[in-house]
Amino acid sequence: MTNTTQEIVCPQCGSKDVEELWTDDYLCNSCYSHFFLDSENAAIPNEKDYDSIDHNARNGCIGIGLILFILIIFFVGKLVKGG
């Protein structure tokens, strides 16, 4: 009996940097595509991908929120000092 091991690659971008979430359920650490393996070990993209988010958009929102927070603190400090 031969045991063959295949390398898992992302069907979206071809990256080999994938993480197994559950049995036969994977997440690409490069493009954040979510896919699973069928019975023939073919990578099938998950159409309902709720785990994949646009990380650049999220990071941008965090950055804008931080800038707004700093500006509010600055102006509140000016008001308190009476300047």
Side-chain angles (χ1 to χ4, degrees):
M1 183 169 187
T2 305
N3 187 2
T4 59
T5 304
Q6 291 182 330
E7 196 167 48
I8 308 295
V9 294
C10 174
Q12 191 74 26
C13 70
S15 174
K16 296 176 186 173
D17 185 16
V18 297
E19 175 182 345
E20 185 173 19
L21 301 174
W22 300 279
T23 303
D24 294 334
D25 195 9
Y26 295 88
L27 177 68
C28 176
N29 291 322
S30 180
C31 70
Y32 303 104
S33 177
H34 184 217
F35 62 96
F36 64 94
L37 299 180
D38 67 3
S39 59
E40 285 96 35
N41 288 334
I44 309 296
N46 188 354
E47 296 299 323
K48 296 181 180 179
D49 189 5
Y50 301 110
D51 294 331
S52 178
I53 58 174
D54 186 357
H55 291 280
N56 291 331
R58 184 187 71 180
N59 290 341
C61 289
I62 291 172
I64 290 171
L66 253 157
I67 290 170
L68 288 174
F69 177 76
I70 291 170
L71 287 173
I72 290 170
I73 294 298
F74 175 75
F75 285 117
V76 167
K78 284 260 188 196
L79 287 173
V80 169
K81 289 184 180 179

